[in-house]
Amino acid sequence: MERRKFIGALAGSAAFASSGVGLLLSACNTGQFEQRTDAIKKAGESFAGYPHDPVRAENFTNPLFIPGVEGPFGVLSVTDTPLTLTAQAKTFPILEARASPFLLYETNYAGKSYQNPIFRIKSGNRFNATLQNGLNEPTIIHWHGLRLPANMDGHPNDSIAAGKNYPYAFPVTNRGGTYWYHSHADQLTAKQAYGGLASFFIVEDDDEVRLSSALDLKLGETDLPLVIQDKRFNANGELVYQPSMMEKMMGYIGDIVLVNLTPNPFLEISPKIYRFRCLNGSNARIYKLSFMRGLEKMEYRVIGTDGGLLDRPYPATEVFLAPAERVDILFNASQLRQGETVFLKSLAFDPMEQDGMNGMGGMDGGMMGGRGTNQSAQTGGNTRLANGVEFNLLKLMVAKAAQGPREVPASLSTVVPMDTAGVSPRRVTLSLNHMQWLINGQSYRRDAAAFEVRRAVEVWDIENATNSMIHPMHLHGFSFQVVGRSKSPAALRPLATASGGRVITDLGWKDTVMIWPGETVRIAIDFRQAFPGEQLYLFHCHNLEHEDGNMMVNYRIPA
Ligand code: C2O
Ligand code: CU
Ligand code: CU
């Protein structure tokens, strides 16, 4: 089936709107599927590439941007330090260091200036900052993953107009871990976060300190935050955010992949143990992270998830990372020889596959624009790098000789599974109707709660009945635990090595969880930890186009 026709069929079809992609599956017979898939594969293999094409290893010639002690993404250690964070439209050098329009948070502290500072704070300390809106449109900051009362959480209803302020002051009570902050402006989250309004919020606790000293990890040297983002640029090297109707529905996918805002980055490393705090800061793209030495997948250790350290390190060769998720990884470079090169890659997968179905690789190429196609946005997708194709993220070169600790500690922290005995699950269904993604049949209503929870341990069964896309579902206000997965697709099953059909990244505290087409994921949330008084929080898809497209609900915690 030809791509244009396919999109036409998709967009124009009422049947699609009511029954997901069932129609498409029946309309395209298997033979056509295979032909389409083959065509995409061939295009991928023979494709000549484009500037910054991440498939081409030889493009990886730009030193990875490493956060320093000031300036862009400078690490700013705070202890109740009153700050003013000004959201503003500036420029930032990205491609060939050419200035691109960029949105950023700027602050000055102790004679230094910071853009999108990486906050670093000890658990138990207070955070204190006033957001100053220097944009020409409303904005608000959400502290993603932090346990906060609703009025500190950056609800879109709290968006402030241009020129206005919003004061934030709160104690940080989360476990140590890699959190982040980003714009959550009403209907403008995708555009503003994509435009630059996002950075890390690193919380430290005793377990973190123990790990850092055992492995001699130093933030900015061997402990590196890596934010992974796919973007599009125009011919002048300027960021472009112009989602078409279809991209608003499927998510905005870029064709240049940045790590710490560096296209095609490399990093010179020593034969030591490195900690990589990976954040998927993309609007919609999902990564399958693997370290490859030639054709060999190297084993690494997963040590943390959204809400901090796991109980112990878990060996892995690949993990999925959906928008807003974090995975903390120890990569042991002491097994490498000087001069060796390893690539952190995103491996190929089929993002539309579901249990019992054939997979929809061909469809994905069709919807998102397969490799080798570069049609205009109006046709629905103009990316040259479809979601789910394989490409490189970061080249690691063992250049130095220094040695460091070689042994990873056997235990990291304590993660006590919640007691869910006797709790009857709440059903939460994700569906699609008339081109709208829905949560329990509802789309976002600013001033109403879709449901009220109890101040108790709740179990939610989140079922992805859209049958067509992965939805990374994010809960505000609380970290949760993944209890189990059912009807997982074949793409995920080999990674489901833990009890209850769970993958390694399900074994820690989470605030965002990937739900595959057809899959049901059971999570447990302890609402007894809620702040006093009535609280209104969000639950939404973190595909940011889905979020702004109202795949979001409020839920209420009663007083
Ligand atoms: Cu990271 Cu409601 O968002
Ligand atoms: Cu959040
Ligand atoms: Cu979604």
Side-chain angles (χ1 to χ4, degrees):
M1 186 176 204
E2 200 186 293
R3 188 166 158 278
R4 242 170 227 284
K5 275 197 218 134
F6 167 66
I7 287 160
L10 172 58
S13 158
F16 172 72
S18 58
S19 71
V21 290
L23 165 89
L24 303 170
L25 279 169
S26 52
C28 313
N29 69 43
T30 315
Q32 282 168 323
F33 256 138
E34 279 157 11
Q35 268 172 32
R36 178 74 189 135
T37 312
D38 285 353
I40 288 165
K41 277 198 198 121
K42 269 195 210 98
E45 280 156 18
S46 62
F47 193 62
Y50 51 91
H52 302 290
D53 179 356
V55 173
R56 296 173 67 126
E58 62 274 26
N59 282 343
F60 284 69
T61 55
N62 303 308
L64 175 73
F65 178 83
I66 304 285
V69 296
E70 62 182 311
F73 297 87
V75 177
L76 178 47
S77 297
V78 284
T79 43
D80 209 4
T81 320
L83 299 166
T84 302
L85 270 177
T86 307
Q88 54 197 312
K90 288 230 165 156
T91 61
F92 193 80
I94 306 181
L95 298 190
E96 279 80 51
R98 275 178 293 177
S100 163
F102 199 74
L103 306 179
L104 46 83
Y105 299 111
E106 191 154 51
T107 192
N108 293 295
Y109 178 68
K112 291 181 185 147
S113 96
Y114 298 81
Q115 295 80 35
N116 285 350
I118 296 181
F119 291 113
R120 185 186 201 186
I121 192 164
K122 268 219 138 53
S123 182
N125 281 349
R126 289 181 65 83
F127 181 78
N128 188 334
T130 297
L131 168 66
Q132 166 80 44
N133 186 357
L135 305 172
N136 55 17
E137 59 187 19
T139 197
I140 194 72
I141 297 177
H142 169 55
W143 312 95
H144 183 122
L146 295 192
R147 176 181 173 266
L148 298 174
N151 66 342
M152 292 287 106
D153 191 55
H155 192 286
N157 285 352
D158 292 330
S159 296
I160 49 167
K164 297 283 193 262
N165 296 314
Y166 196 96
Y168 292 98
F170 49 79
V172 173
T173 59
N174 284 68
R175 306 172 80 225
T178 308
Y179 304 91
W180 62 303
Y181 64 101
H182 60 80
S183 162
H184 219 300
D186 196 19
Q187 302 292 308
L188 295 168
T189 297
K191 176 188 161 216
Q192 291 186 2
Y194 178 95
L197 293 176
S199 187
F200 288 95
F201 196 105
I202 293 176
V203 179
E204 283 178 339
D205 63 6
D206 294 344
D207 291 335
E208 290 276 350
V209 170
R210 207 171 312 120
L211 175 67
S212 299
S213 66
L215 292 178
D216 193 25
L217 296 172
K218 292 199 180 65
L219 193 61
E221 288 174 35
T222 48
D223 175 352
L224 295 173
L226 299 179
V227 55
I228 307 171
Q229 295 164 309
D230 60 332
K231 308 272 189 196
R232 288 189 209 167
F233 294 85
N234 65 18
N236 298 325
E238 298 169 337
L239 263 185
V240 174
Y241 185 71
Q242 282 164 351
S244 64
M245 283 295 290
M246 187 54 53
E247 286 163 345
K248 282 185 180 161
M249 192 175 168
M250 307 304 289
Y252 195 68
I253 299 280
D255 52 13
I256 295 185
V257 185
L258 309 175
V259 180
N260 294 352
L261 292 174
T262 315
N264 310 121
F266 74 87
L267 177 68
E268 293 191 343
I269 57 172
S270 309
K272 285 185 182 176
I273 295 175
Y274 282 77
R275 175 179 187 174
F276 295 119
R277 303 170 184 254
C278 305
L279 159 65
N280 183 346
S282 311
N283 281 29
R285 184 182 291 278
I286 293 163
Y287 305 89
K288 186 183 190 185
L289 301 179
S290 205
F291 289 88
M292 304 276 295
R293 170 160 59 177
L295 295 174
E296 171 210 352
K297 283 181 202 155
M298 294 181 73
E299 194 172 85
Y300 53 89
R301 298 280 186 282
V302 175
I303 57 161
T305 54
D306 304 345
L309 294 174
L310 292 161
D311 57 339
R312 62 176 176 87
Y314 289 81
T317 54
E318 34 189 79
V319 296
F320 283 102
L321 196 68
E325 285 189 303
R326 285 86 73 206
V327 64
D328 245 299
I329 283 170
L330 291 181
F331 176 73
N332 190 349
S334 71
Q335 51 191 319
L336 298 170
R337 289 182 310 276
Q338 205 166 332
E340 266 196 285
T341 292
V342 169
F343 274 95
L344 172 61
K345 283 186 185 252
S346 184
L347 300 182
F349 67 97
D350 181 347
M352 299 195 136
E353 184 176 273
Q354 58 175 306
D355 185 30
M357 294 278 188
N358 222 349
M360 294 189 63
M363 282 306 174
D364 164 57
M367 279 193 196
M368 303 296 197
R371 218 173 143 65
T373 61
N374 182 23
Q375 300 182 16
S376 70
Q378 297 86 275
T379 60
N382 72 348
T383 182
R384 295 169 284 198
L385 193 72
N387 199 13
V389 301
E390 177 174 324
F391 55 87
N392 301 298
L393 286 163
L394 172 65
K395 179 181 182 177
L396 299 170
M397 299 181 311
V398 186
K400 304 162 198 164
Q403 294 285 321
R406 287 161 172 270
E407 289 302 318
V408 171
S411 87
L412 300 167
S413 186
T414 7
V415 177
V416 181
M418 260 182 249
D419 183 4
T420 55
V423 181
S424 57
R426 178 190 294 278
R427 287 198 75 76
V428 179
T429 306
L430 315 177
S431 62
L432 177 67
N433 189 32
H434 294 97
M435 310 297 277
Q436 280 290 139
W437 304 105
L438 303 173
I439 301 174
N440 278 355
Q442 306 197 23
S443 63
Y444 182 55
R445 285 176 299 153
R446 260 176 204 80
D447 301 310
F451 52 89
E452 184 170 280
V453 300
R454 285 164 296 131
R455 286 181 176 259
V457 171
E458 286 210 355
V459 169
W460 293 8
D461 278 344
I462 311 171
E463 182 195 357
N464 183 350
T466 69
N467 292 341
S468 51
M469 276 195 84
I470 294 167
H471 299 284
M473 299 306 296
H474 170 52
L475 185 76
H476 281 226
F478 299 84
S479 295
F480 55 81
Q481 292 179 344
V482 178
V483 178
R485 291 181 180 269
S486 54
K487 296 200 224 124
S488 303
L492 188 66
R493 281 200 297 269
L495 305 194
T497 52
S499 61
R502 292 176 302 166
V503 298
I504 287 169
T505 44
D506 290 334
L507 299 181
W509 289 96
K510 295 289 291 171
D511 55 54
T512 307
V513 65
M514 264 174 97
I515 309 189
W516 287 72
E519 198 182 29
T520 296
V521 177
R522 175 170 288 190
I523 65 171
I525 316 148
D526 189 353
F527 289 114
R528 292 172 307 185
Q529 297 174 352
F531 288 88
E534 185 180 291
Q535 307 284 334
L536 195 70
Y537 290 109
L538 295 168
F539 176 64
H540 65 84
C541 181
H542 220 289
N543 174 314
L544 291 183
E545 283 70 36
H546 290 187
E547 176 185 333
D548 281 351
N550 293 325
M551 191 178 185
M552 175 154 87
V553 291
N554 284 307
Y555 69 95
R556 182 170 39 240
I557 298 171

